[in-house]
Structures are given as C-alpha cells and as structure tokens.
Amino acid sequence: MDKNTHAREAQLRAISIYEKRPERAQVLNRGTAEVLEGLGCIYEQDGQRLSVDMPKAIGGSEEAPPPGYFGRAAVCSCLAIGIKMTAARENLQLDAVRVGIEQDWDNRGVLAMEGASPVPSDTRIAIDIASSEAEEKIRSLVARALVSDPWFLAFRDAQPVTSKLSVNGMVA
C-alpha cells in the first residue's frame, strides 16, 4: 500500500471510531522544558527530547535553534501535513506541498524593553502546491484544511492560557 492510500485509510478509520466514541478523540499533551546552565533548554514529551537555545547576542550559546524556530516549524509543518491529509481523505492528488513563513519582530520585546511587544508584529504564510487538480479544487481544499489546523489556528486566534507558579515546591 502506498503512503497516500495508507494516510487516507488511517484517517477514515480514525473518523469512524471518533464518530462512534468521541471520548476516544480527547487527548492531553504534556511536556516539560528545563533550563539548567545559561539559556540552553531541554524540552521533553512522550520520550522525545529536543534542545533549544538563544542567540549569542542576547546571552545564549546558539547550541540549538531558538524557541521561535520550533514555533514556526510547528505551524508550517502542521499546515503542510494538514493540507496533504485533507487531500488524501478526499482522493485529490497533490504532487508537492510547501509552506513558508515570514514574521516581523522587534527584538526589544523579548528583553522586556518598554514600547516593544515580544510577539510578532506580522506573520505571513505562503502555501505552494503542485498538482494536476483544478485550481479551484485546490483553493477549496486549502480553505478547509486551514479551519481545522491546530497550529495555524493557535497562531491566528487568541485562546485561554493559564499558568501556575511553584517556588521551592510551594504553589503560589
């Protein structure tokens, strides 16, 4: 079985299960990040680990990509995969999907300097698709994929986020 057929069949099987038992679709992702020496950090989730660091210009050692790299990787890869997943479910042939991202930043924001925001002032996403399918089919497909893409929506839409602080084992 080719990978596209596998992707389609696996998704249709999951949809069938979730329609009958929606509780099976509910998941909790849990991960932790720990900074030890300097600004280098290790993030762990589900037995996987990755290293994160900051640029030398603001005190890091550049031994790993900065956090924003992984944020941009999350939105681009999730969009590309989500578009391909949607195409597979709908039996549309995509030869290639490429998603690019550009963001404008004011680096003063991450240093908590007055008058500067730590979030991007603008984010632009470019989606390039190679396909023999009709352009209108592809445009419609991408529109459907965007409204169900978790990382695109997390970047685009405000959402509730809570935090809990513990200092020396005491929850504040």
Side-chain angles (χ1 to χ4, degrees):
M1 173 183 322
D2 70 28
K3 290 182 179 182
N4 289 331
T5 302
H6 170 73
R8 175 177 163 60
E9 290 181 6
Q11 290 176 71
L12 294 177
R13 189 170 42 256
I15 289 168
S16 175
I17 292 167
Y18 296 159
E19 285 175 340
K20 294 172 189 151
R21 301 200 46 206
E23 72 279 2
R24 301 255 330 254
Q26 303 304 308
V27 297
L28 170 67
N29 294 121
R30 181 177 288 126
T32 58
E34 186 171 5
V35 176
L36 299 172
E37 186 177 335
L39 300 180
C41 182
I42 301 293
Y43 177 79
E44 295 184 57
Q45 179 181 321
D46 301 328
Q48 302 287 323
R49 297 174 58 132
L50 62 87
S51 297
V52 181
D53 203 350
M54 293 299 283
K56 288 181 181 178
I58 59 172
S61 58
E62 293 184 7
E63 293 177 1
Y69 172 94
F70 294 103
R72 288 182 292 279
V75 72
C76 286
S77 59
C78 196
L79 269 171
I81 292 167
I83 290 167
K84 188 73 184 249
M85 287 174 66
T86 304
R89 281 194 311 275
E90 298 178 11
N91 272 331
L92 295 175
Q93 180 61 42
L94 303 183
D95 300 319
V97 178
R98 179 176 290 206
V99 178
I101 189 168
E102 292 180 343
Q103 291 182 308
D104 297 324
W105 296 85
D106 183 338
N107 283 331
R108 296 174 301 161
V110 74
L111 298 170
M113 296 175 67
E114 193 171 322
S117 172
V119 301
S121 59
D122 191 40
T123 298
R124 294 167 302 283
I125 294 173
I127 301 168
D128 293 317
I129 296 177
S131 176
S132 59
E133 302 285 351
E135 182 177 338
E136 187 50 44
K137 278 187 176 181
I138 299 300
R139 289 188 180 282
S140 179
L141 162 89
V142 170
R144 288 189 305 284
L146 289 175
V147 297
S148 64
D149 189 276
W151 287 103
F152 171 74
L153 296 173
F155 265 67
R156 189 193 72 181
D157 301 339
Q159 58 193 295
V161 177
T162 59
S163 61
K164 178 176 77 174
L165 172 64
S166 172
V167 178
N168 298 325
M170 303 294 289
V171 176

